[in-house]
Amino acid sequence: MSIFDDYYDEHNLGEYSDMSKKELVIEAEYLHNSLYNILKYVDNGGTDIDVIKAEVYDGFYESRI
């Protein structure tokens, strides 16, 4: 069993979502990628809040969480 399976089961995440464990991992990956892109942008000196907002909204759009 993976760490995610343990966490999923210990926190009864199945009660709060009609998504499978696999679907939740995929959705979390979308959010992870968006956060990574934002941090990379900021680390490279990016300061345009509109660029950051666009990445956030894209992450929410791609993810159904």
Side-chain angles (χ1 to χ4, degrees):
M1 190 174 259
S2 73
I3 293 172
F4 179 78
D5 288 331
D6 292 341
Y7 186 89
Y8 184 94
D9 294 337
E10 288 173 13
H11 293 88
N12 297 321
L13 295 180
E15 292 181 29
Y16 304 106
S17 175
D18 58 354
M19 300 171 79
S20 71
K21 291 177 191 179
K22 182 178 179 180
E23 289 171 319
L24 288 172
V25 168
I26 292 168
E27 300 308 317
E29 185 66 20
Y30 285 129
L31 293 175
H32 172 268
N33 288 340
S34 291
L35 178 57
Y36 175 82
N37 291 337
I38 292 167
L39 293 174
K40 184 175 158 185
Y41 174 74
V42 170
D43 283 345
N44 288 326
T47 59
D48 187 346
I49 196 69
D50 289 330
V51 171
I52 295 170
K53 282 182 181 179
E55 187 64 43
V56 168
Y57 291 133
D58 285 348
F60 285 144
Y61 178 78
E62 291 293 328
S63 170
R64 296 173 289 160
I65 292 180

